[in-house]
Amino acid sequence: MAESDVEIAIQGKLDKIFADYPLTPRLEMLKIEIKRTLMQDTAVKVTDGAEPVDAVREAFQDFGDLRHQINEVLFTSNK
């Protein structure tokens, strides 16, 4: 899996998660930040010897509950 394939895999998973929410400017920024973090974490895991598919999966697991973060942004945006 090339780096571009890793990026496509991460983007696809994020798109599925974010599809359930209205795409506000703050959520778009959150999505970009999360993607950057996941790409970096995946790259470290691959460098450490993980297979790219496993590295992507582990990066998402390590990141934690994305929906919780999305909801926090949505609810704090309205205050």
Side-chain angles (χ1 to χ4, degrees):
M1 181 180 267
E3 183 176 343
S4 61
D5 294 333
V6 167
E7 185 172 2
I8 290 168
I10 289 172
Q11 186 67 50
K13 286 179 180 244
L14 289 175
D15 287 346
K16 285 180 183 177
I17 293 167
F18 277 81
D20 294 334
Y21 300 92
L23 195 54
T24 65
R26 289 187 69 193
L27 277 186
E28 183 65 29
M29 289 301 298
L30 177 65
K31 187 177 180 181
I32 291 167
E33 291 172 20
I34 291 171
K35 180 181 175 183
R36 185 178 315 128
T37 300
L38 292 169
M39 290 289 297
Q40 291 171 345
D41 190 27
T42 299
V44 168
K45 291 176 183 319
V46 169
T47 300
D48 289 346
E51 291 296 321
V53 172
D54 295 332
V56 169
R57 181 182 44 75
E58 290 172 16
F60 271 90
Q61 288 175 345
D62 292 349
F63 195 88
D65 188 356
L66 293 176
R67 293 184 190 281
H68 176 75
Q69 290 195 3
I70 292 168
N71 286 327
E72 279 195 10
V73 168
L74 282 176
F75 290 118
T76 60
S77 295
N78 296 328
K79 291 184 179 179

